[in-house]
Amino acid sequence: MASLRSEHEAEVAVVGGGPVGLTAAIALAVAGVPTALIAPAPKQADNRTTALLGGSVNALEAIGAWTRCRAQAAPLRAMRIVDDTDRLWRAPEVRFDAAEIGLEAFGWNVENRHLLAALDGRAAEMPELLRIEDQARAVESGDADVTIRLVEGGALTVRLLVAADGSRSLCRAAAGIETRSHSYRQTAVTFNLGHARPHHDISTEFHTAHGPFTLVPLPGLRSSLVWVVAPDQAELIAQTETRTLEEEIERRSHSILGKITREPGGGVFPLRVETAHRFAARRIALVGEAGHVMPPIGAQGLNLGLRDAATIAELVAAARRRGGDVGGSELIDAYDQRRRADVTSRTVAVDLLNRTLLSDFLPTQSLRGLGLYMLDRIGPLRRAMMREGMASGAGQPRLMRGEAL
């Protein structure tokens, strides 16, 4: 842990040491911005996985972290959507191939523990990044600066605070930013699996009446599973004997991966949507789950957070080059504006997809089936949907395009 003697040299502080906070801190430091990262040392391994879209991989490459975890990631070269609802109106199977839009892969699936280790290793080799292994006890935002008071004593005063401290963000509360939220009667159960048959770099999403049952490739004969079920079913799954559970997973996956072996670990996460009314205020910018929470559908959650990190780093670097205030109202308003459209559109899309899947209203089921039929049959529409899902284009932050800040 760095001594408090040198902490006041930082212009920007990042509070929170998850993938989004680490990415923001490294990106700022790479751009030459004196930055402090305030986060305790990790206490336990995260067994979840993340499907990193192409832009996120570009950003990790640009900050020098991707090479540290590339070998532990599996490419997602194709994605299948299979209607497994047994309803009257069943949609046709739809397959999306990255090669159809000129890509090697839509993204790469990596275990969070490897991603965190890669980012942590990159941060550790950067002497210009001040690391403080502590937590924020209180945050005081003023007209000219922000002061972070630490649990173990001492304080740090900076021009801008980047809040990466999760959905129960102390920093967001200090900025006076409220949120709107909605909880679903769904729970996501996650496991990593071994299996007998190869996945061929194909992610398969079975749509069921309670939500998606999604198998995402990992290196070798391994995949991650995100299984969305009703809350009471999640409790039953947690109590099921391992071999019985493995057989049930194989049955629900229609044996496409052969015999299943569940790996130790896993998690249970109630599904909800939460979005901040603003993404920045009073010299505090929200990134990741401090600003938005959404269900693990469509690989949007962490990828949105990484775009937050890339955007705030780009704005701060540009303001500093101009000699401007890196936490002033101009930057705060620009960040809020740039993130609002992206976060809102992705949240609405994921919410709509989830609601149409759960709906028992026959016309809604018909419209959903028709939409998937059109995607299957109309090539230009399918390719446009794939490009939109990748969030590519000139409007992306520079890091997401693989460019230096």
Side-chain angles (χ1 to χ4, degrees), residues 97-114:
D97 286 281
E100 190 176 355
I101 55 173
L103 298 177
E104 176 190 356
F106 290 117
W108 280 259
N109 194 38
V110 62
E111 293 173 72
N112 286 1
R113 61 192 178 100
H114 295 309

Side-chain angles (χ1 to χ4, degrees), residues 102-153:
L103 298 177
E104 176 190 356
F106 290 117
W108 280 259
N109 194 38
V110 62
E111 293 173 72
N112 286 1
R113 61 192 178 100
H114 295 309
L115 177 59
L116 280 167
L119 288 164
D120 190 68
R122 176 67 177 118
E125 68 182 17
M126 304 182 71
E128 61 271 39
L129 176 60
L130 175 66
R131 304 192 65 177
I132 305 170
E133 290 187 358
D134 202 344
Q135 292 177 289
R137 174 177 57 82
V139 174
E140 300 163 6
S141 178
D143 293 335
D145 53 38
V146 183
T147 297
I148 305 107
R149 303 199 180 279
L150 305 176
V151 169
E152 295 183 4

Side-chain angles (χ1 to χ4, degrees), residues 22-310:
L22 279 164
T23 298
I26 295 168
L28 286 162
V30 166
V33 180
T35 303
L37 173 64
I38 301 171
K43 292 187 172 124
Q44 59 184 18
D46 188 345
N47 291 317
R48 292 174 295 174
T49 68
T50 294
L52 296 168
L53 299 179
S56 296
V57 172
N58 290 341
L60 294 173
E61 284 182 326
I63 64 173
W66 180 240
T67 55
R68 295 174 176 268
C69 62
R70 173 63 182 86
Q72 288 81 39
L76 308 179
R77 303 188 194 279
M79 301 172 67
R80 296 171 61 217
I81 296 178
V82 180
D83 190 331
D84 202 23
T85 60
D86 290 325
R87 289 170 173 164
L88 178 63
W89 283 94
R90 294 186 63 188
E93 178 180 324
V94 181
R95 174 168 168 147
F96 303 96
D97 286 281
E100 190 176 355
I101 55 173
L103 298 177
E104 176 190 356
F106 290 117
W108 280 259
N109 194 38
V110 62
E111 293 173 72
N112 286 1
R113 61 192 178 100
H114 295 309
L115 177 59
L116 280 167
L119 288 164
D120 190 68
R122 176 67 177 118
E125 68 182 17
M126 304 182 71
E128 61 271 39
L129 176 60
L130 175 66
R131 304 192 65 177
I132 305 170
E133 290 187 358
D134 202 344
Q135 292 177 289
R137 174 177 57 82
V139 174
E140 300 163 6
S141 178
D143 293 335
D145 53 38
V146 183
T147 297
I148 305 107
R149 303 199 180 279
L150 305 176
V151 169
E152 295 183 4
L156 173 63
T157 299
V158 293
R159 307 297 293 278
L160 174 71
L161 189 160
V162 177
D165 53 339
S167 60
R168 298 180 179 179
S169 173
L170 170 71
C171 302
R172 184 182 65 221
I177 299 175
E178 297 184 349
T179 65
R180 55 185 176 274
S181 62
H182 169 75
S183 295
Y184 299 99
R185 291 188 56 78
Q186 294 169 287
T187 298
V189 182
T190 64
F191 303 114
N192 290 338
L193 309 171
H195 42 77
R197 296 175 183 166
H199 47 57
H200 300 295
D201 301 331
I202 300 171
S203 174
T204 302
E205 185 170 296
F206 294 95
H207 284 185
T208 77
H210 292 294
F213 176 97
T214 307
L215 294 160
V216 190
L218 285 169
L221 294 175
R222 300 176 65 235
S223 293
S224 59
L225 169 65
V226 179
W227 185 359
V228 177
V229 296
D232 56 349
Q233 190 178 0
E235 295 178 8
L236 290 174
I237 291 171
Q239 298 168 7
T240 301
E241 187 267 337
T242 297
R243 186 60 204 139
T244 302
L245 181 59
E246 292 169 344
E247 292 171 352
E248 178 64 11
I249 293 171
E250 182 178 346
R251 185 187 71 80
R252 287 180 177 266
S253 62
H254 299 271
S255 297
I256 62 171
L257 298 177
K259 184 178 179 180
I260 296 295
T261 304
R262 175 191 165 185
E263 297 181 0
V268 177
F269 308 94
L271 266 56
R272 65 190 178 95
V273 168
E274 184 174 16
T275 308
H277 289 173
R278 281 184 58 89
F279 297 105
R282 298 174 59 182
R283 295 187 175 272
I284 298 173
L286 311 182
V287 299
E289 291 194 346
H292 45 80
V293 177
M294 66 175 58
I297 297 172
Q300 294 300 323
L302 182 56
N303 287 284
L304 271 179
L306 295 177
R307 290 203 289 279
D308 297 339

